[in-house]
Amino acid sequence: MERTISIIKPDATAKNVIGKILTRFEDAGLKIVAGKLTRLTKEQAGAFYEVHKERPFYGELCEYMTSGPVFISVLEGNDAVALNRKLMGATDPKQAEKGTIRADFADSISANAVHGSDSKENAEKEIKFFFPELAQ
Ligand code: ATP
Ligand code: MG
């Protein structure tokens, strides 16, 4: 059993598709074991995307992530990290496989509907960051 973090980003919450996206996770066998609707502060977004600090889109990314509410959840299941990434599709929705969350709901490479942890190690760090009470 593995856990991962999903963030439904501001473009998707604005479109009223939180329920549709959560249904994709549930239909794929992932269990939602924690969740909250919140708005990230500049400090939280900056710290969360710290790995991208040197990338040219860092400022834009942090602006965007704080532009509206996000729904953050912890998903649990077999191979949860990889399964969530598969359901999400490629970072750029134009490259995302048909039927994936980003192909169906994302607007652009920056406003791309969802975030998902990219490794088991980062999943643990991200769970600790957003749900310290759940950290193992
Ligand atoms: P995420 O970490 O959000 O799950 P990802 O792992 O598919 O997405 P990363 O390379 O980690 O992609 O990039 C983090 C986020 O930064 C992307 O989801 C996207 O919102 C933004 N981003 C990535 N590349 C670009 C780019 N070339 N231009 C603008 N924004 C970008
Ligand atoms: Mg990433």
Side-chain angles (χ1 to χ4, degrees):
M1 215 40 97
E2 196 172 279
R3 285 178 171 184
T4 190
I5 281 275
S6 161
I7 304 178
I8 301 178
K9 297 185 179 182
D11 59 301
T13 62
K15 282 185 194 147
N16 264 2
V17 293
I18 295 174
K20 284 186 178 150
I21 292 174
L22 294 180
T23 297
R24 302 261 174 129
F25 301 142
E26 292 184 329
D27 286 351
L30 291 168
K31 193 166 183 68
I32 299 161
V33 297
K36 60 184 170 194
L37 185 73
T38 184
R39 193 160 170 160
L40 299 183
T41 63
K42 285 259 151 65
E43 291 68 31
Q44 280 177 312
F48 184 72
Y49 277 123
E50 180 119 40
V51 287
H52 296 308
K53 208 163 62 189
E54 304 307 326
R55 310 271 286 270
F57 56 81
Y58 179 69
E60 179 199 340
L61 176 61
C62 294
E63 276 292 316
Y64 158 66
M65 287 301 285
T66 56
S67 67
V70 294
F71 189 86
I72 311 171
S73 58
V74 177
L75 309 176
E76 185 179 271
N78 285 326
D79 232 359
V81 172
L83 177 53
N84 180 37
R85 297 287 298 189
K86 185 162 177 269
L87 296 171
M88 288 163 58
T91 309
D92 182 354
K94 286 195 234 89
Q95 314 286 330
E97 219 177 294
K98 222 172 141 225
T100 60
I101 293 167
R102 283 170 166 164
D104 291 345
F105 301 117
D107 294 328
S108 66
I109 191 165
S110 41
N112 60 3
V114 280
H115 160 81
S117 312
D118 59 10
S119 67
K120 212 176 150 153
E121 192 193 354
N122 284 334
E124 291 304 326
K125 282 189 197 153
E126 292 175 6
I127 291 169
K128 208 173 193 171
F129 186 78
F130 287 120
F131 298 94
E133 68 278 15
L134 284 191
Q136 289 153 344

